Amino acid sequence: MPNVLELENSMPVGKLGLVVHPSFAGKGDTINSYLALFRKDIHNDLVKNDPAFQGYQKDNYLIPFEIPRFGSGEAKAQFLQSTRGYDLYILVDVCNHSITYNMNGFENHMSPDDIYQDLKRIIAAVDGKAARINVIMPFLYEGRQHRRTSRESLDAANMLKELSNMGMSDFITFDAHDPRVMNSIPLSGFDNFMPPYQFIKALLTNEEDLIVDEDHMVVISPDEGAMERAIYFANVLGLNTGTFYKRRDYTRIINGKNPIVAHEFLGDNIDSKDVVIIDDMISSGGSMVDTARQLKEMNARRVFICTTFGLFTEGLGLFDEAYEKGYFDRLITTNLTYLPPEIYDRPYFIEADMCKFIASIIDFMNHDSSMANVMDNTQKMHAILENYNQRRGIDL
């Protein structure tokens, strides 16, 4: 973990507590284990006698709680221990549709709306008692509904404002569709983290013959909205970049949006080069598969898809078919949101684990340290690329 010396010389805001919603179960246990490991050797000369470090070193930072639900579908949050004085971190995955509950004899899958309501219940149960309430929501709830273009709601802004009014101190998310939505809560903290280091680490760990330079690799954005991600990734690795322009039919609206007519490529020649596609999410996957297909038709050597959130709203069939046809070679996505269990059996899938990164974020926030300690991925990306090249005997 970076900059441990800064943690050694700072005090925690309060006793650390993790409140892991069932939608984040499993990953919450892993994050808890990392935090226990991080703190094992820090402040050993202080924790025994200084009251400020009471409960600093523990094997378990998880706060037990329940969300019982009545037969009507209504629910409540109930904590099983005191949270007074705790610096709480509530972890929630609004896209985990695998959780079910019974209502009037029917089994319902929890929607993002249901999980968001649970989050508010948790905050309501501890507000006024905890020293600080922080929300970690990797996929920003209603993040795609961040601006008004016609007579419509501003759901993401309303969500942030509502949580802030309820007592939330800081909001932590990942790869927000448009981070400018933070303007809706100017007096509350809003941190937006990106996973480029985890992408390159996963790719270099699983591919042994990559040549990462501008003559052999290029970074592609599947649309103009993802260009900033692609440019950063390409600049750090010393690569060129390109993008696809989505040409839409603005005379029709299908499923709430104008349908895409074609993807037009803007960029240099990619003939015989490895291509890395960077995007924030895969929803149904149609646009991503079409982008990969066109890249292979342009004689790309290999196509690696890197996406922060793999939602796969229409299942994996489309990607299975595309892989069999040779449209792409690897699909890398983080575990920040729920992934269907069967994806781990796919030969093309690579998981970019984010649990250690989240644990580092929590540790630095609990010490009220600068988030620059964990936000800057440039040096780490350079280091892992240098180690990869040295391992392969490539002269830099």
Side-chain angles (χ1 to χ4, degrees), residues 230-267:
I231 289 173
Y232 172 77
F233 196 85
N235 285 347
V236 172
L237 299 179
L239 307 176
N240 292 323
T241 188
T243 187
F244 278 86
Y245 166 68
K246 290 181 179 178
R247 186 153 53 88
R248 296 181 180 271
D249 181 1
Y250 287 99
T251 64
R252 297 182 296 152
I253 296 179
I254 299 177
N255 294 328
K257 57 186 178 181
N258 302 105
I260 298 171
V261 177
H263 289 89
E264 308 287 350
F265 180 68
L266 305 174

Side-chain angles (χ1 to χ4, degrees), residues 3-14:
N3 297 330
V4 175
L5 184 61
E6 183 165 339
L7 298 184
E8 291 272 11
N9 295 320
S10 60
M11 292 178 59
V13 172

Side-chain angles (χ1 to χ4, degrees), residues 115-134:
I115 296 173
Y116 173 56
Q117 285 297 120
D118 277 358
L119 171 62
K120 292 194 292 182
R121 294 181 178 107
I122 292 170
I123 294 176
V126 299
D127 194 17
K129 305 173 184 67
R132 194 169 63 172
I133 300 172
N134 310 280

Side-chain angles (χ1 to χ4, degrees), residues 355-373:
C355 291
K356 187 175 183 180
F357 187 36
I358 294 176
S360 296
I361 293 170
I362 293 172
D363 209 13
F364 276 97
M365 288 197 70
N366 180 240
H367 286 81
D368 233 3
S369 298
S370 171
M371 286 294 96
N373 291 300

Side-chain angles (χ1 to χ4, degrees), residues 94-95 112 137-149 152-157 159-160 173-179 181 223 229 246 248 255-257 279-285 287 307 309-313 337:
V94 296
C95 291
M137 184 189 290
F139 185 91
L140 181 63
Y141 173 72
E142 296 289 1
R144 286 178 283 185
Q145 190 55 35
H146 62 285
R147 59 182 176 141
R148 178 176 288 146
T149 56
E152 56 189 2
S153 57
L154 287 169
D155 293 32
M159 179 270 295
L160 290 171
T173 191
F174 288 79
D175 207 349
H177 193 68
D178 188 344
V181 73
D223 55 48
R229 301 176 186 89
K246 290 181 179 178
R248 296 181 180 271
N255 294 328
K257 57 186 178 181
D279 204 4
D280 61 337
M281 76 174 73
I282 290 174
S283 185
S284 65
S287 295
T307 183
F309 304 109
L311 305 182
F312 305 107
T313 57
T337 55

Side-chain angles (χ1 to χ4, degrees), residues 16-79:
L16 176 60
L18 301 182
V19 181
V20 180
H21 186 268
S23 62
F24 219 84
K27 294 187 287 285
D29 293 333
T30 305
I31 292 168
N32 176 64
S33 298
Y34 275 123
L35 284 166
L37 182 64
F38 291 164
R39 297 188 168 198
K40 185 177 181 180
D41 298 320
I42 293 181
H43 294 298
N44 267 341
D45 55 336
L46 295 174
V47 294
K48 295 180 180 179
N49 302 313
D50 193 334
F53 289 93
Q54 182 182 5
Y56 185 83
Q57 292 179 337
K58 298 167 61 177
D59 293 328
N60 184 21
Y61 298 95
L62 300 171
I63 304 294
F65 74 102
E66 297 175 344
I67 303 183
R69 196 170 290 270
F70 305 102
S72 62
E74 299 167 293
K76 66 177 181 179
Q78 180 177 349
F79 279 78

Side-chain angles (χ1 to χ4, degrees), residues 171-185:
F171 186 89
I172 299 99
T173 191
F174 288 79
D175 207 349
H177 193 68
D178 188 344
R180 290 176 296 182
V181 73
M182 73 175 70
N183 294 333
S184 61
I185 50 169

